[in-house]
Amino acid sequence: MAEATTSGGPALRILLRQPAKDPSPIPVSSHADRDRIIAVFTNVLTKDEPPENFALRTMQEAMKPQKQTVLVQDENQLLENALRSLLQGLVSSAVQSGQRMMQCNPDGGQIPNLLDIVLYLCERGHVEGGVIFQLLEDLTEMSTIKDCKEVFAYIESKQDVLGKQELFSRGKLVMLRTCNQLLRRLSKANDVVFCGRILMFLAHFFPLSERSALNIKGVFNTSNETKYEKEAPDGVPIDFKFYKTLWNLQEHFSNPAETTLTQPKWQKFAGNLAVVLDTFEAQPLTEDEGKANNLEQEEEAAFSIKYLTSSNLMGLELKDPSFRRHILLQCLILFDYLKAPGKSEKDSPPESMKEEIKSCEERVKRLLEIIPPKGKEFLQSVEHILEREKNWVWWKRDGCLPFEKQPSEKKPIQDGGRKRKPRWRLGNKELAQLWKWADQNPNALTDSERVTMQSINEYWKPLAEDMDPTSGIEAEYHHKNNRVYCWKGLRFSAKQDLESFCRYSELGIGIEGVVPPELLPSDVRTKLHARNSEKNKRAKKEETKGPTTQPEEPQVATPIEADGGGSAGELEEGEALMDSDTTEPQKQSPTEVESRQEAETDIEGNIKVEVVQ
């Protein structure tokens, strides 16, 4: 306490308070605590029981006084440090005794048991999930390459448990760092299988949309430089100019983006490629040469090939079909990169370059098709792979959206509230995305191969097979029972084959009359044509048949009365008129008779229509 006085005024007191002490200080781990934890876990490593029988009890005993089943942050850190020290001691004792680390022996090497106990505690949530990944990283760093194979085999066996969400989110970066460090220690020439196992594990362990495994910016591996001879050696009977031209293509393949930056670079690449393609066309390979160098006939044909660039081997490499396919496939990959969809106008090649790319691509495909063995099958496989690659390119350009779709949670709708549906530009999400792609790629709608129309014979072929009695297809499964199929077929025939469309109503048998006759069996075709000809004959007969004449009623002569209403002169005039009427048809021409019959027929038809109505 301090006092201050002022003249003529009361004393001013200033009280200084000290900060209150925390009644519960943070405990600091000591060596005694660490040694106690190590001793408790060491005693249970020799048990043959499964970890779930004693793991939790061991943890509570080691972390005394601990009655809870879940450790807090400080306790987790203390337990992790103790377990890492215990693991280091087990590895040291295994090395001194000459035992394998991943073998369970009483003398040492109880590492798998320790990993199983910690993995169980992490899986159940008693310990933080990252502890097991930290122990695995320490173990791989302390092991030799031979022991690392056994450690990694243990990791592969526990892949399903390590991949659970509660563990994966805690230790994915540690596992990625562990695998990358292990890959740097391995030899790409001697440990190819082990490297492949690590890469396959990473592909299964991490989701496909994991951004750490993606080349988002599309950076090329320019460090993989192909070195070749710059000056011609003495006494080598080869065309050294062609040798330099061939291997100079690798500079463009290693960095395709640089090839299209300036026109001189592209012209240089196009000129070198034309020389190589001309040489391949001038020296085609025979079937015998293809069979002699076929790797599929050998055992264990999977090799990691990087061809030698010695000028002495130029003649032999030109006779190797695999070498030619290697060069031509690199060309297709480069062309596919230059034509990749979704590029901006700045990154896209000019129109003149696109024409050259198209012509060169056609030449490369023709050469791949004629290279033995199985050139056509090889080309089809390559085209299929490059087509699927476009989907990968689109996915990366859209921001690598995750493939996994979590189940949507149904939220309860409040009383009186209406659930509002999302509004899309074109009705739904898929159509809106298609429209977006069309904006990015204006040539998508004008592509001639975008829509292919089926021919008439291909469309009606299933119905023709149904009409064949030898096919044995039951009537209920015939395509004529499918109304949508029949409706589409009639519209199709009306556009492309009007003659077949007219047979729909002429034959009187329905949709089967529209099927082209060349698709039908001979007996079915004969039956349909016989029915058609019979109907035509009946129609012609009805046309030629005249109108029916009704029988005349017998006329009864009536006596002429002298005192009647008419005079004898009038009777004579009436008789004369009757005589003229009866003799009039005999004076008409045949044309007039036919026209009169047609008029009468039309009148009768109109009368029938009116009666029906």
Side-chain angles (χ1 to χ4, degrees), residues 6-22:
T6 58
S7 60
L12 178 65
R13 295 182 179 183
I14 301 176
L15 299 178
L16 301 177
R17 294 184 179 180
Q18 297 180 357
K21 297 183 179 180
D22 190 0

Side-chain angles (χ1 to χ4, degrees), residues 186-204:
L186 298 176
S187 171
K188 295 182 179 180
N190 300 328
D191 302 318
V192 178
V193 178
F194 193 17
C195 292
R197 286 173 56 190
I198 297 174
L199 295 177
M200 290 295 294
F201 169 78
L202 290 175
H204 287 86

Side-chain angles (χ1 to χ4, degrees), residues 376-596:
K376 293 183 178 180
E377 291 81 355
F378 180 80
L379 178 59
Q380 291 176 358
S381 302
V382 170
E383 290 178 341
H384 178 69
I385 294 173
L386 294 179
E387 187 66 26
R388 289 176 58 90
E389 184 70 14
K390 294 180 181 179
N391 299 330
W392 183 261
V393 173
W394 274 116
W395 176 68
K396 291 178 67 176
R397 293 188 185 276
D398 290 342
C400 304
L401 301 177
F403 286 91
E404 299 80 6
K405 293 184 178 181
Q406 301 295 336
S408 58
E409 298 180 358
K410 295 183 179 180
K411 298 182 179 179
I413 302 176
Q414 299 179 358
D415 297 339
R418 296 180 60 185
K419 186 177 181 181
R420 187 175 182 180
K421 296 182 179 179
R423 299 181 63 182
W424 302 98
R425 182 181 178 185
L426 296 178
N428 55 52
K429 183 178 180 180
E430 286 73 16
L431 288 177
Q433 184 67 23
L434 287 175
W435 186 262
K436 178 182 177 182
W437 287 352
D439 291 341
Q440 296 175 357
N441 186 11
N443 299 327
L445 299 178
T446 59
D447 189 5
S448 58
E449 299 181 356
R450 186 175 67 91
V451 179
T452 57
M453 185 173 292
Q454 198 175 12
S455 64
I456 288 290
N457 291 347
E458 292 179 358
Y459 187 85
W460 290 115
K461 189 174 181 180
L463 183 57
E465 294 177 355
D466 296 342
M467 297 172 63
D468 188 3
T470 59
S471 62
I473 302 177
E474 299 179 3
E476 58 178 336
Y477 300 109
H478 284 191
H479 286 74
K480 67 180 181 180
N481 300 326
N482 188 348
R483 294 183 179 182
V484 177
Y485 175 81
C486 298
W487 177 75
K488 288 183 178 180
L490 289 175
R491 287 177 57 88
F492 201 24
S493 299
K495 290 183 179 180
Q496 295 193 8
D497 191 3
L498 192 59
E499 181 181 358
S500 300
F501 178 75
C502 295
R503 290 199 300 267
Y504 176 72
S505 58
E506 290 179 356
L507 297 182
I509 59 174
I511 196 66
E512 294 179 347
V514 190
V515 180
E518 57 269 16
L519 297 179
L520 300 174
S522 58
D523 52 346
V524 178
R525 191 188 315 152
T526 304
K527 187 185 299 183
L528 290 178
H529 282 286
R531 188 180 301 179
N532 188 20
S533 59
E534 182 180 353
K535 185 176 181 180
N536 292 337
K537 289 180 181 179
R538 191 183 305 111
K540 290 181 180 179
K541 188 181 293 183
E542 292 178 356
E543 291 177 0
T544 56
K545 186 177 180 181
T548 57
T549 58
Q550 299 180 356
E552 298 180 355
E553 296 180 359
Q555 298 180 359
V556 180
T558 56
I560 302 174
E561 297 181 355
D563 298 333
S567 62
E570 293 175 354
L571 292 173
E572 290 178 358
E573 290 176 1
E575 291 177 357
L577 290 172
M578 292 175 63
D579 293 339
S580 64
D581 292 338
T582 55
T583 58
E584 186 177 356
Q586 298 177 0
K587 297 178 182 180
Q588 293 176 351
S589 63
T591 307
E592 295 175 351
V593 173
E594 291 178 0
S595 62
R596 183 177 179 182

Side-chain angles (χ1 to χ4, degrees), residues 301-346:
F303 296 102
S304 177
I305 296 177
K306 185 172 177 63
Y307 287 98
L308 301 177
T309 59
S310 174
S311 58
N312 297 327
L313 302 175
M314 190 77 261
L316 297 176
E317 289 176 337
L318 288 178
K319 296 180 181 180
D320 186 4
S322 300
F323 178 78
R324 292 195 179 192
R325 285 177 175 176
H326 189 89
I327 301 297
L328 297 177
L329 182 58
Q330 286 180 308
C331 295
L332 290 182
I333 294 174
L334 185 141
F335 296 151
D336 191 67
Y337 166 76
L338 297 179
K339 298 187 308 178
K343 285 187 175 182
S344 61
E345 295 182 358
K346 181 181 179 180

Side-chain angles (χ1 to χ4, degrees), residues 27-68:
V28 180
S29 61
S30 61
H31 293 285
D33 296 335
R34 188 188 62 181
D35 296 339
R36 186 187 69 252
I37 296 173
I38 293 175
V40 172
F41 275 90
T42 304
N43 294 333
V44 299
L45 292 181
T46 56
K47 291 187 176 181
D48 295 334
E49 304 177 17
E52 54 267 19
N53 295 343
F54 60 88
L56 179 59
R57 185 174 64 254
T58 303
M59 182 199 72
Q60 293 175 338
E61 182 181 354
M63 302 300 296
K64 285 183 178 180
Q66 176 60 250
K67 298 181 181 180
Q68 302 295 329

